[in-house]
Amino acid sequence: MQQKRTELSELGEFGLINRLKTYLPAQNYHANTITGIGDDCAVLDNGGDEYTLITTDILAENIHFDLAYTPLVHLGYKAVIVNLSDIVAMNGTPQQITVSVALSNRFSVEAIEEFYKGIKIACENYKVDLVGGDTTSSKSGFFISITAIGKVKKDKIVYRNGAKIGDIVCVTGDLGGAFLGLKLLSWEKEVFLANPEMQPELTGKEYPLQRQLRPEARLDMVLEWGNLGVKPTAMLDISDGLASEILHICEQSQVGAFILEENLPIDTEVFNTAVEHNLPPITCAMNGGEDYELLCTFSPQDFDKIRKKMPDLTAIGVIKEKELGAILQTNSKEQVKITAQGWKHF
Ligand code: ADP
Ligand code: MG
């Protein structure tokens, strides 16, 4: 009998992870395992008043980055940031990382040193210790796997599943810049490949390029609302685009969400450059990804305490009943269902 073959593309990333969950050991063997798969970090309780947070991410050449337009120093920085961002998304503070790399002989020692310079700068900026890793060769391509370890006070931890009806949905910073930056870089690469004499036209586009090449983890926000004595009811970081992250909160918190397009924070330079290139800014924000901002929900009481004090936090909507689903009200007052890839009209 022929074995059934399922294409990975049929399941997609989230479908595959869900399917692999059925192969988890039938039980947790250790009482200190608090939560495993499904949030931004795994949570361990090693006693005391803090949890330990652990997260890991792979970056693969030509999937997550293109060395034609990614300076290695920025790549090192970003590889650390994407992991710190997941610790921050649990309302935690990152403390250590391990760094593993697979390299082909295409790379020189100096190139790897450049990459490590970026890692060092990120560690210094976020006061994180580099405590180990692994180095191996690769037949083709550069692979980076970083694990970050952090901590959070037990009563301060925030999961994806705590959003309640009536909570205010917020995002930090602005959205869509990283995706636009990636588009600009890949367009310039095409132009260059077609005609190597052409010089890149990237002046005046520094902000989206910086958002793509050198993102930050919003530890500053977590510290700020911590100092103001509040914490979100649910949170995750925006790595895949706002639409997909809203759906994660709705699914895991068993709620719906009503989001207003007019409230979405999009930088003016990003907005204008996107329009110039016939790219709807809303698509960059909803379906772009890699902004590494935080999507979080606050009780109305907590939101009142911080709304005037945190200008970099924007209310974009409200949590509703599960039955409503996740809805985006566009500027033309049309209500569209939010889906992970684009959004479908009713
Ligand atoms: P994020 O975007 O926050 O990094 P992911 O979407 O990569 O999160 O992963 C979602 C959840 O699935 C996380 O809890 C992660 O630990 C888990 N996960 C992802 N891939 C695997 C895998 N191959 N095996 C086990 N768990 C996985
Ligand atoms: Mg995450």
Side-chain angles (χ1 to χ4, degrees), residues 308-323:
K308 298 234 168 65
K309 297 181 178 145
M310 296 189 64
D312 216 15
L313 187 72
T314 307
I316 59 165
V318 63
I319 293 294
K320 295 279 192 185
E321 297 71 22
K322 182 177 181 212
E323 292 64 37

Side-chain angles (χ1 to χ4, degrees), residues 11 17 73 82 144 166 194 207 214 222 228 230 259 280 286 311 315 337:
L11 291 183
I17 296 172
V73 62
V82 303
I144 307 153
Y207 186 66
R214 205 178 178 288
V222 163
L228 293 167
V230 304
I259 308 294
M286 292 296 282
K337 201 174 166 69

Side-chain angles (χ1 to χ4, degrees), residues 170-172 218 220-230 298 301-315:
C170 298
V171 292
T172 62
R218 296 312 304 264
D220 58 331
M221 291 305 235
V222 163
L223 297 175
E224 221 176 310
W225 61 57
N227 286 337
L228 293 167
V230 304
F298 286 94
Q301 298 81 352
D302 274 357
F303 183 68
D304 257 356
K305 289 186 202 156
I306 56 175
R307 64 189 311 169
K308 298 234 168 65
K309 297 181 178 145
M310 296 189 64
D312 216 15
L313 187 72
T314 307

Side-chain angles (χ1 to χ4, degrees), residues 55-170:
T55 180
T56 195
D57 260 305
I58 300 182
L59 297 184
E61 183 176 356
N62 295 330
I63 304 290
H64 299 100
F65 59 90
D66 184 334
L67 289 174
Y69 50 70
T70 310
L72 283 162
V73 62
H74 290 341
L75 182 61
Y77 193 89
K78 181 169 175 176
V80 176
I81 293 303
V82 303
N83 282 278
L84 303 190
S85 180
D86 278 322
I87 300 274
V88 168
M90 307 294 293
N91 215 30
T93 309
Q95 293 187 300
Q96 290 90 11
I97 56 164
T98 62
V99 178
S100 301
V101 288
L103 303 158
S104 69
N105 56 12
R106 179 161 65 90
F107 284 86
S108 65
V109 172
E110 288 74 20
I112 298 313
E113 283 178 331
E114 220 23 53
F115 173 73
Y116 264 79
K117 260 188 222 164
I119 290 186
K120 180 172 186 237
I121 300 169
C123 286
E124 288 173 351
N125 285 358
Y126 288 84
K127 300 193 170 51
V128 165
D129 302 327
L130 200 174
V131 294
D134 196 19
T135 307
T136 186
S137 53
S138 137
K139 283 253 163 72
S140 72
F142 182 22
F143 298 87
I144 307 153
S145 170
I146 295 189
T147 296
I149 303 164
K151 61 162 187 182
V152 60
K153 285 262 186 312
K154 285 180 179 170
D155 59 350
K156 293 287 178 322
I157 193 163
V158 179
Y159 296 103
R160 294 177 178 183
N161 67 6
K164 299 275 179 298
I165 295 170
D167 283 355
I168 313 295
V169 182
C170 298

Side-chain angles (χ1 to χ4, degrees), residues 39-41 55 57 82 85-87 89 160 236-240 245 292:
D39 220 301
D40 294 288
C41 291
T55 180
D57 260 305
V82 303
S85 180
D86 278 322
I87 300 274
R160 294 177 178 183
L236 75 177
D237 66 328
I238 306 178
S239 49
D240 296 329
E245 315 300 4
Y292 296 102

